[in-house]
Amino acid sequence: MIPEFIDTWQMTEPGKLLKTRVPMPELGAGDVVVKIAGCGVCHTDLSYFYMGVATMQKPPLSLGHEISGVVIGGEASMIGKEVIVPAVIPCGECELCKTGRGNRCLAQKMPGNSMGIYGGYSSHIVAQSKYLCVVENRGDTPLEHLAVVADAVTTPYQAAVRADLKKDDLVIVIGAAGGVGSFMVQTAKGMGAKAVIGIDINEEKLVMMKDFGADFVINPKDKSAKEVKELFKAFCKERGLPSNYGWKIFEVTGSKPGQELALSLLSFTGKLVIVGYGTAETSYMLSKLMAFDAEIIGTWGCPPDRYAAVRDMCLDGRIKLGPFVETRPMSQIEQVFDEAHHGKLKRRVILTPDF
């Protein structure tokens, strides 16, 4: 039965949350109602909440875009199915969508940003059934854990696709211990990379990544780019790998130091994929790209039709979710936001509705 209202935590203005009820929207053709099992807390939400980054839908609105749940109403064939709601939902009709670039559809909708007042920190959400990723045979993987597939895991996968990542490729992940970076490492290894080097300043989490796909790790704290490169070259020499060509670099931090380090490591026939977002400007001599025959690539979100591949990697064990996430009641949203904002969280938090 479809409820008349949606219980939710609304951002009434940046920095303020209100537990409230909003009307259930009228269902259109192809719409379904998803009872939310969990919604992951992403740094994008913190940007909206603390830093005043503008949402398409002006407050009040509910944030949250990493969503999993169960369909309880709408299209009859979908009722009862467990699903992941994509973080980026294309229009499906424009030229970008028709040419395979729907992840950057200019008319795209994003829960917690541009789907009206509706978002994932709620009891329910309405979405188009055709874009949902159905989950079957999930074994002992909790449905709420799969919420993070909607951004933290599919974003690295899309980055790997943009890099044309193939078996036996050589990979560097800068920001390898972060919420997205840890999944970037696992995705690269899960797709068959021969060697994955993880770089991060969080020593504890970085060392942990050795058990989850990183063949070698470097902490660049208090090190120059030259010193980092010497450690990189030593690893390559030990493994019989090239150090001056062919590496695919994923910059996940969005920070100026991370970007500058990535650029210093880019070499002959290499690719640098910019995954993380930051506002600082970074300078680079573009003629190096010509001399290196190298590429710098941007990546955004992930189209819904690629979610199934990521779901399968999570369910067959190539990507581990459990060690990198934790669940907390949605009533703790203010505390979790504060801890996330001040860098106190060790795992990505998934909030579960407890209205």
Side-chain angles (χ1 to χ4, degrees):
M1 183 177 177
I2 300 174
E4 188 177 349
F5 296 96
I6 294 174
D7 291 303
T8 187
W9 285 92
Q10 273 195 338
M11 179 178 74
T12 55
E13 62 181 88
K16 292 187 179 180
L17 288 167
L18 174 68
K19 183 182 175 182
T20 187
R21 276 187 159 182
V22 297
M24 176 70 66
E26 185 175 338
L27 301 190
D31 280 346
V32 293
V33 180
V34 178
K35 183 179 181 182
I36 293 172
C39 182
V41 176
C42 177
H43 279 279
T44 302
D45 297 315
L46 304 183
S47 297
Y48 298 144
F49 191 71
Y50 289 106
M51 302 166 205
V53 174
T55 49
M56 295 292 289
Q57 167 74 33
K58 293 183 179 180
L61 84 159
S62 303
L63 300 176
H65 56 272
E66 291 186 343
I67 305 165
S68 62
V70 180
V71 176
I72 64 159
E75 189 176 315
S77 64
M78 290 292 291
I79 292 177
K81 292 186 182 295
E82 297 181 336
V83 298
I84 300 165
V85 181
V88 175
I89 302 174
C91 75
E93 301 296 330
C94 70
E95 192 66 21
L96 288 175
C97 288
K98 291 176 180 178
T99 53
R101 300 299 290 272
N103 60 300
R104 191 52 277 187
C105 167
L106 301 183
Q108 65 188 207
K109 299 294 184 184
M110 301 174 67
N113 179 358
S114 56
M115 284 177 63
I117 61 173
Y118 304 99
Y121 300 130
S122 308
S123 59
H124 301 78
I125 194 166
V126 173
Q128 279 274 295
S129 64
K130 65 181 178 180
Y131 291 124
L132 301 179
C133 177
V134 175
V135 178
E136 295 175 335
N137 303 317
R138 60 180 169 84
D140 58 2
T141 301
L143 178 59
E144 53 268 30
H145 283 192
L146 291 169
V148 299
V149 168
D151 190 3
V153 193
T154 48
T155 292
Y157 182 81
Q158 174 67 10
V161 170
R162 292 284 284 132
D164 193 26
L165 187 64
K166 289 183 169 60
K167 187 177 183 297
D168 291 333
D169 273 352
L170 306 173
V171 170
I172 298 171
V173 179
I174 298 177
V180 174
S182 59
F183 292 122
M184 186 74 252
V185 169
Q186 293 189 74
T187 298
K189 202 65 176 178
M191 292 176 73
K194 179 188 290 185
V196 179
I197 296 176
I199 299 178
D200 204 290
I201 60 173
N202 188 320
E203 183 69 20
E204 180 184 353
K205 288 185 179 180
L206 185 62
V207 170
M208 174 184 171
M209 291 312 300
K210 290 181 177 180
D211 295 325
F212 296 95
D215 298 287
F216 183 64
V217 296
I218 301 173
N219 187 335
K221 190 174 182 179
D222 300 324
K223 294 183 180 70
S224 66
K226 183 179 179 180
E227 289 170 321
V228 171
K229 287 173 78 171
E230 288 305 314
L231 292 170
F232 164 66
K233 288 178 181 178
F235 167 78
C236 291
K237 184 176 182 180
E238 179 187 330
R239 293 292 185 93
L241 302 172
S243 62
N244 61 342
Y245 68 88
W247 286 83
K248 294 180 178 179
I249 305 166
F250 297 88
E251 206 301 304
V252 186
T253 71
S255 68
K256 187 171 183 176
Q259 292 174 350
E260 289 177 339
L261 180 57
L263 288 164
S264 73
L265 291 168
L266 183 62
S267 191
F268 295 95
T269 68
K271 291 184 181 181
L272 168 57
V273 184
I274 304 299
V275 186
Y277 175 78
T279 57
E281 293 187 2
T282 304
S283 62
Y284 183 70
M285 190 177 81
L286 289 176
S287 293
K288 287 184 178 181
L289 292 179
M290 175 271 294
F292 289 154
D293 196 18
E295 301 171 57
I296 299 178
I297 302 168
T299 184
W300 173 265
C302 181
D305 60 5
R306 291 191 173 134
Y307 271 52
V310 184
R311 172 205 62 201
D312 292 347
M313 290 179 76
C314 293
L315 295 181
D316 68 19
R318 282 176 287 170
I319 296 175
K320 306 288 188 185
L321 298 178
F324 298 92
V325 301
E326 64 173 293
T327 58
R328 296 196 199 178
M330 203 167 280
S331 55
Q332 294 183 15
I333 185 170
E334 292 174 289
Q335 177 187 339
V336 170
F337 271 27
D338 183 71
E339 289 181 34
H341 184 51
H342 290 96
K344 296 179 180 179
L345 297 178
K346 292 191 174 182
R347 300 185 180 193
R348 198 173 191 88
V349 171
I350 299 165
L351 296 173
T352 57
D354 62 337
F355 295 98

